[in-house]
Amino acid sequence: MVAGGDLLTPEIVSVPWQRLILYPAGWYTRNITVAPSLSLPTGLRPFTALRVERTEAATIHFETTTLETLLDAPVLAGRYAAQVPLTAAVHGAVSLDLVALREEDLNVPSARLRELRNLIKQIRSVFGSPPFLRYEILTRLSDDGSSGGTEHRSSSEIGLASSHFKDWPGQILFRDLIAHEIVHAWNGFYRTPADLWAPTPNVPVSGSLLWMYEGQTEFWGRVLATRAGQFTQAELRDRLAIEAAETAARPGRAWRSLSDDVNYPAFMLRQSVPWRDWQRRRDYYSEGVMLWLAVDAKLRELSEGRQNIDNFARLFFAGATLDAPTRTYTFEDICRTLNELAPADWKTFLRGWIDAHDELDTTVGLTQHGWQLTFTDIPTSAFRASEDESGVADLTYSLGLTVRDSGSVTTVAWGGPAFRAGLRPGVRVLAVNAAPFTREVLLAAVRSSGGRPIMLTIDRDNRNVDVSINYTGTLRYPRLERVDGRADTLSALLAPR
Ligand SMILES: [Zn+2]
């Protein structure tokens, strides 16, 4: 994902070297040495994983390095900038490098810093020695509403809302973004899928193991952020309920398996995808979380509780050092490590997930962990945060649509009640049962429909049309509830180490 915002403004400069260089194509980038330098406008403080040799006036001269390292070490510079160490200044030190639009945005509440320091400890307790000398969390705080991250071996580019650290309740979807990107130093850079590695950037790569590269990283982001205190266990369960519902109800699973969805970045990267639930798009993140929950549950079951996913990570990512070259892995390597922990036919188990269609119950791991997906008429706070993030009322699991306060319909669930009534993204709801549209009027109409169809007047292609949605239920929002008689091993998974 691109950490949002412009690359160049008077206050903030991002330098992604890969967009700026000419290089001899076809040669291993790790064998090409470069001596980079960078001139910045005065008053901008730079952060980067590159090591500075000397600074002359406005020009920074970096130590000679390889092209491979340079391409993986962007610079972020800002007028309002601060560096907060999260560990002692030893081998493997991590710092939070903040660049903001205003001086006051640089003040991070001490509770947030305490959690970030816990996070580094929790990551180290699973993954062990780091594949970096020091690690820079290059964080850009902005008002443009974009959040996202890009991983590197010794740094990450993180885009967050200016209010991120202060408006913690509203940030439930992004609290584990930093955890996710740091985990990539191990799961992505120290070890990377064989078909995703290339010696030089002009060689195409493919993503057959993205359910491991992104899926397990997303899983660890959720787990480690909770172990560090960035989520309470209840908040994390509400978060998991959202993706459990999303994957369980994905109509696109009828035709597209996860092992096909991983091809998406090869031809549609960063393009918007209409009807995402039917097309699928990057489902290997959220479905990956469900998959690795199931793997953890199965490891525990096979070993009567002696093995779990922590042991997998310790074994699979062991041996990281500063100078360790990237070690590639294959599907068989994943199976072999799982088999060392708990002998079983892991190949069939994993293929049963990634090649499956909608016959697979993707919530099975959660259920084995003692929690099941259910729906109630009151949204969880995580669900509300997700509605706020998209700026919609999310009725995906009832009427089958999401709608902005303006009445503009942003998504329609494929095959759902609104879909069957002829709605599609882009139409605007003008009235609900003859009353002018507001979000509250629509919610009230669903709540009190008593089995009667809901009449909508919509603007479709500049024509007003009345449609009738046959939906007999009430509002439905996902959450998790305990499975009677099953041990709650999810709590054990989420407990700090
Ligand atoms: Zn990622």
Side-chain angles (χ1 to χ4, degrees):
M1 249 187 286
V2 170
D6 296 329
L7 294 174
L8 291 169
T9 72
E11 266 72 47
I12 299 177
V13 171
S14 292
V15 184
W17 299 100
Q18 77 275 11
R19 297 200 201 178
L20 301 169
I21 59 157
L22 289 170
Y23 63 96
W27 297 83
Y28 275 45
T29 53
R30 69 182 180 215
N31 295 335
I32 299 171
T33 53
V34 280
S37 63
L38 176 68
S39 299
L40 287 169
T42 49
L44 298 198
R45 180 176 174 188
F47 300 110
T48 176
L50 293 172
R51 290 204 268 184
V52 175
E53 189 183 86
R54 65 184 197 282
T55 302
E56 281 169 7
T59 301
I60 309 152
H61 297 272
F62 298 103
E63 286 182 9
T64 298
T65 186
T66 65
L67 181 59
E68 182 182 45
T69 298
L70 182 74
L71 290 171
D72 192 42
V75 179
L76 176 67
R79 195 167 306 282
Y80 305 107
Q83 184 169 58
V84 188
L86 298 177
T87 61
V90 291
H91 175 79
V94 180
S95 63
L96 176 67
D97 305 332
L98 294 166
V99 163
L101 296 174
R102 294 163 290 267
E103 188 75 41
E104 61 266 29
D105 293 339
L106 298 171
N107 298 319
V108 179
S110 56
R112 301 291 84 82
L113 292 177
R114 198 160 50 240
E115 289 154 3
L116 281 171
R117 292 186 172 118
N118 287 341
L119 175 66
I120 308 304
K121 288 187 194 127
Q122 293 298 326
I123 292 174
R124 292 287 297 271
S125 78
V126 173
F127 291 94
S129 64
F132 46 79
L133 180 65
R134 58 188 176 86
Y135 188 97
E136 312 287 330
I137 307 168
L138 306 171
T139 308
R140 176 177 182 161
L141 300 172
S142 59
D143 295 342
D144 64 7
S146 64
S147 297
T150 304
E151 65 274 27
H152 303 285
R153 179 156 171 159
S154 301
S155 63
S156 46
E157 296 166 273
I158 305 281
L160 293 167
S162 295
S163 59
H164 177 77
F165 294 108
K166 286 163 188 135
D167 169 30
W168 204 232
Q171 292 297 310
I172 209 156
L173 300 183
F174 301 107
R175 291 184 198 174
D176 54 348
L177 182 59
I178 290 175
H180 176 107
E181 302 304 345
I182 299 178
V183 167
H184 270 314
W186 285 267
N187 188 21
F189 284 88
Y190 168 52
R191 300 218 63 182
T192 201
D195 66 357
L196 203 58
W197 185 84
T200 172
N202 63 321
V203 171
V205 293
S206 68
S208 68
L209 296 173
L210 280 172
W211 48 271
M212 169 75 186
Y213 179 106
E214 290 297 1
Q216 194 178 106
T217 302
E218 191 79 335
F219 166 87
W220 280 120
R222 306 278 190 277
V223 169
L224 292 165
T226 310
R227 290 182 187 175
Q230 292 179 303
F231 294 110
T232 64
Q233 290 208 3
E235 285 171 334
L236 201 271
R237 285 195 300 271
D238 290 348
R239 180 84 199 275
L240 290 176
I242 295 174
E243 46 211 0
E246 186 182 279
T247 50
R250 257 308 183 240
R253 291 176 55 221
W255 70 275
R256 176 175 255 179
S257 63
L258 206 54
S259 54
D260 185 14
D261 179 45
V262 296
N263 295 319
Y264 156 81
F267 63 99
M268 286 293 278
L269 190 63
R270 295 191 185 118
Q271 303 207 33
S272 73
V273 172
W275 303 103
R276 181 177 170 185
D277 63 343
W278 179 242
Q279 295 208 38
R280 285 164 64 91
R281 183 187 67 128
R282 298 198 297 122
D283 280 2
Y284 42 85
Y285 285 84
S286 51
E287 202 170 319
V289 173
M290 296 296 120
L291 161 61
W292 292 105
L293 275 169
V295 169
D296 180 50
K298 188 172 171 67
L299 281 170
R300 288 167 196 264
E301 180 198 305
L302 289 167
S303 65
E304 290 170 345
R306 287 189 306 279
Q307 300 293 353
N308 56 46
I309 192 88
D310 286 55
N311 298 336
F312 171 83
R314 274 187 207 108
L315 216 51
F316 198 76
F317 298 105
T321 61
L322 167 63
D323 300 318
T326 296
R327 288 172 57 207
T328 57
Y329 62 82
T330 60
F331 178 84
E332 287 68 32
D333 292 328
I334 300 169
C335 295
R336 195 174 304 121
T337 304
L338 288 166
N339 213 48
E340 272 179 55
L341 297 169
D345 184 358
W346 286 102
K347 185 178 173 199
T348 302
F349 177 87
L350 290 174
R351 291 238 76 100
W353 268 81
I354 60 179
D355 296 334
H357 288 280
D358 45 8
E359 76 282 3
L360 173 75
D361 174 8
T362 50
T363 67
V364 65
L366 272 174
T367 314
Q368 286 173 318
H369 272 300
W371 293 86
Q372 67 193 6
L373 175 65
T374 182
F375 291 86
T376 59
D377 58 0
I378 298 173
T380 62
S381 49
F383 196 89
R384 281 220 185 85
S386 125
E387 288 185 300
D388 290 345
E389 170 62 21
S390 329
V392 296
D394 186 345
L395 302 179
T396 298
Y397 303 106
S398 48
L399 285 189
L401 56 82
T402 60
V403 57
R404 292 188 190 282
D405 286 343
S406 63
S408 171
V409 171
T410 51
T411 62
V412 175
W414 190 269
F419 179 95
R420 292 195 300 274
L423 267 70
R424 56 171 168 72
V427 304
R428 198 157 73 85
V429 182
L430 304 170
V432 181
N433 294 335
F437 169 84
T438 65
R439 175 194 283 229
E440 291 67 33
V441 165
L442 180 63
L443 295 184
V446 179
R447 255 188 233 109
S448 61
S449 75
R452 289 181 304 276
I454 292 167
M455 304 296 297
L456 299 183
T457 307
I458 60 170
D459 175 340
R460 187 165 62 197
D461 303 326
N462 299 319
R463 290 212 336 245
N464 290 3
V465 187
D466 289 327
V467 294
S468 157
I469 302 183
N470 285 305
Y471 174 69
T472 55
T474 184
L475 295 169
R476 291 174 83 239
Y477 301 101
R479 65 174 69 223
L480 300 186
E481 65 177 19
R482 284 281 286 123
V483 181
D484 289 338
R486 271 207 99 99
D488 176 11
T489 48
L490 185 61
S491 297
L493 172 66
L494 300 176
R497 299 297 187 256

